[in-house]
Amino acid sequence: MARWGLLLLPVVLLQGQPAEVRDAIAALEHGDYLSAERAAQAETRRSPDDALAWSVLGVALDQQHRIAEAEPAHRRALAVAPNSPDILNNYANHQLAAGDATGARLTYGKVLKLDPSHFNANVQSARLAIHDGKGPEALDLLKIGRASCRERV
């Protein structure tokens, strides 16, 4: 399965997160999806309203090709933090993995309304625009994505 730009969070945002969430994200970054799943599950049991933990759990399940199991985790994350660009982005990535390009387009659109410079949402939206034969739109999205990438460095 392609890694649809999973969970890109600046280190500074992770500093205040529980150890289990930090461990889960580190495991995701190293491709250890089972460890990520276990750490995220531990945090969701400890803090059932931790949107990031639920989202990370969904990403870990998606990466293990357990798409149907990931859906409730993503939905729980969205219920807790419906306007979080990162939570929405992870759900859009999940929708792509599930084969729901239409839903992903809509969700990436929500991300971009909240954060027009969101790198992954711009890149994935551009990829979808190319698929739809909308080259000029894709170019505009890639320019925004590229600019936001430069800002992060």
Side-chain angles (χ1 to χ4, degrees), residues 126 129-130 134-145:
I130 289 167
K134 298 177 181 176
E137 179 183 333
L139 260 175
D140 289 341
L141 289 161
L142 288 173
K143 287 176 188 174
I144 295 168

Side-chain angles (χ1 to χ4, degrees), residues 41-124:
Q41 283 176 333
E43 178 59 18
T44 59
R45 282 191 295 273
R46 191 178 72 74
S47 296
D49 289 331
D50 187 330
L52 184 55
W54 284 107
S55 188
V56 170
L57 176 58
V59 170
L61 293 167
D62 283 334
Q63 293 302 313
Q64 295 175 73
H65 308 274
R66 294 163 56 195
I67 306 299
E69 290 177 65
E71 179 76 20
H74 287 291
R75 293 251 179 222
R76 182 71 183 263
L78 287 168
V80 176
N83 294 315
S84 165
D86 292 317
I87 301 298
L88 283 162
N89 180 71
N90 287 340
Y91 182 60
N93 293 339
H94 164 76
Q95 290 174 301
L96 276 181
D100 181 8
T102 302
R105 272 185 204 85
L106 293 171
T107 305
Y108 285 128
K110 290 178 186 177
V111 173
L112 294 174
K113 282 182 184 172
L114 293 166
D115 180 3
S117 67
H118 195 283
F119 179 76
N120 186 68
N122 275 293
V123 171
Q124 294 302 341

